């Protein structure tokens, strides 16, 4: 339904740019599927005529797709001389005359005979012929079969520049639920973002008075980023990684400066980005006190316009590495352990790889969830306190995800890491990876951090339940993992003794 509204809204916008002759917009909805009355009303607000359709079975029960039945009714709309059918896979960008004025028999045909747009002339004869063919082979015939065998589309149109056509299995409205290793083959961040911006416009049309003060953040951040980079998917540096270190409190500047100095000792670190979350304060000059002047160019401060935990995943045009290490300002890790974790990530680049594993459960029937700290496998979440990710994932989270998820994070000042974990595994189908460090990590937030609040764990459980239920349609995207990566040590092997082994087995 959301995709349908986006497609119609884009068509209306294109009409407004270049008015054309009177054109009706019709949405056919099968009566066999329940739709929310609010959705139908919103379609009508977009200027669409909503028609509920039935399939003329005359008592024959067909085990076929309701959408196919609905499309057959296109040829029964006899009040029209010509109909330009388009699926929700199309977004119109400007001039739509090429689609309105093309002759009957034209079509856009993509791989596997997918037809997102075609032009037809409704006639009783064609309608009866299509229905007859459907009844003749009710369990095997699809609508695509009928188009391919009964209708000769001689004029095959190329996909033009003024329309986006999402023909692959991954769509902008479901990219975060794709969950397969070949995700990058179909992932198109630029066109997906264009779709997201139109979707946001539709939502604003229906709800123009939002109380969310950061509503403009997604578009502001992402438009600025896209205007500054030539290719958002090209990260040239493969043998180093960047650090994104989040901070808010100016009282931590002294310790933060020491932490940066520590990180810059690693030759594997390309750039340290400081995400300065507090938009009301300038970054103190004392930040550079403990940093060698020769390393100044390796430190970049990312000042923020919006106060949001979501800022820790903002894409930045100065990022050149394929990998990003996300960390809090109250974490200290030995550099050998950090570099080993980077090498572990390099062997599983789609995974979130890090040091703080957590576990969860989710019940799709009750929509209840649990969240807990664990001491043994399996785990399903790696916290953003200390983790490696693909740089691609920054744009995915910030610019393509449902903005309501970002709003939920802002309201609760919590759970951005849970939303990110769900997006990463939901997109790629790759579970997380825990890395065991050789030296103990220092966590300065154990005494006064947000996780010490008694309400923290229940709130996290509720976030998991809400996110999966609302944004993943009750299909849990998190993947349990039992893997653990650790630096190699000599295996413990001794000369075999059957006497010792027998005693062990019998006891």
């Amino acid at each position: 339904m959301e995709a349908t509204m986006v497609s119609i809204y884009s068509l209306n916008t294109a009409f407004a740019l270049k008015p054309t002759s009177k054109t009706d917009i019709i949405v056919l909805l099968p009566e066999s599927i329940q739709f929310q009355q609010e959705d139908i009303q919103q379609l009508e607000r977009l200027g669409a005529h909503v028609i509920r359709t039935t399939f003329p079975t005359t008592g024959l029960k067909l085990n076929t797709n309701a959408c196919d039945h609905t499309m057959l009714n296109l040829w029964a709309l006899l009040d029209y001389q010509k109909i330009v059918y388009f699926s929700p896979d199309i977004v119109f960008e400007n001039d739509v005359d090429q689609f309105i004025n093309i002759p009957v028999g034209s079509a856009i045909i993509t791989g596997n005979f997918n037809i997102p747009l075609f032009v037809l002339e409704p006639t009783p004869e064609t309608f009866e012929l299509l229905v007859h063919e459907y009844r003749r082979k009710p369990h095997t015939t699809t609508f695509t079969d009928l188009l391919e065998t009964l209708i000769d589309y001689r004029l095959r149109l190329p996909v033009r520049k003024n329309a986006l056509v999402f023909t692959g299995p991954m769509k902008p409205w479901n990219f975060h639920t794709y969950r397969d290793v070949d995700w990058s083959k179909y992932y198109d961040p630029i066109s997906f973002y264009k779709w997201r911006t139109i979707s946001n416009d539709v939502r604003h049309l229906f709800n123009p008075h939002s109380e969310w003060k950061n509503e403009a953040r997604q578009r502001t951040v992402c438009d600025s980023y896209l205007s500054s980079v030539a290719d958002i998917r090209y990260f040239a540096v493969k043998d180093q990684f960047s650090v994104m270190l989040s901070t808010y409190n100016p009282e931590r500047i002294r310790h933060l400066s020491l932490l940066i100095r520590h990180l810059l000792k690693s030759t594997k670190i390309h750039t340290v980005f400081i995400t300065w979350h507090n938009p009301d304060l300038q970054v103190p000059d004392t930040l550079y006190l403990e940093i060698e002047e020769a390393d100044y160019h390796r430190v970049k401060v990312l000042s923020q316009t919006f106060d949001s935990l979501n800022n820790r995943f903002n894409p930045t045009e100065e990022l050149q590495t394929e990998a990003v290490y996300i960390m809090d300002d109250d974490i200290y890790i030995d550099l050998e352990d950090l570099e080993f974790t980077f090498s572990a990530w390099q062997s599983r680049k789609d995974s979130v790889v890090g040091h703080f594993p957590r576990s969860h459960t989710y019940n799709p029937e009750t929509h209840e969830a649990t969240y807990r700290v664990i001491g043994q496998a399996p785990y399903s979440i790696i916290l953003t306190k200390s983790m490696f990710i693909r740089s691609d994932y920054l744009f995915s989270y910030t610019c393509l995800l449902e903005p309501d998820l970002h709003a939920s994070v802002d309201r609760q000042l919590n759970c951005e890491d849970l939303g990110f974990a769900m997006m990463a595994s939901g997109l790629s189908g790759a579970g997380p990876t825990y890395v065991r460090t050789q030296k103990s990590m220092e966590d300065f937030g154990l005494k006064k951090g947000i996780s010490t609040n008694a309400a923290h764990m229940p709130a996290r459980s509720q976030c998991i339940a809400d996110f999966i239920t609302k944004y993943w349609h009750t299909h849990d995207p998190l993947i349990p993992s039992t893997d653990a990566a650790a630096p190699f040590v000599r295996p413990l092997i001794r000369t075999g003794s059957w006497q010792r082994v027998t005693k062990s087995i019998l006891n």
Side-chain angles (χ1 to χ4, degrees), residues 17 22-23 49 62 101 119-120 195 241 249 273 307 322 329 334 400 406 419 456 496 507:
L17 292 174
K22 171 62 177 175
T23 304
H49 302 283
L62 296 182
N101 297 325
V119 185
L120 64 105
W195 185 94
F241 60 92
N249 194 336
F273 294 97
D307 186 359
E322 185 183 29
D329 62 357
D334 177 76
L400 304 183
H406 296 164
H456 178 69
N507 288 339

Side-chain angles (χ1 to χ4, degrees), residues 54-64 69 130-139:
T54 59
F55 184 72
T57 60
T58 62
L60 180 63
K61 185 176 181 180
L62 296 182
N63 185 27
T64 48
H69 298 169
L130 292 172
V131 171
H132 172 75
E133 288 299 314
Y134 228 128
R135 287 175 175 160
R136 192 166 64 88
K137 298 179 180 179
H139 298 291

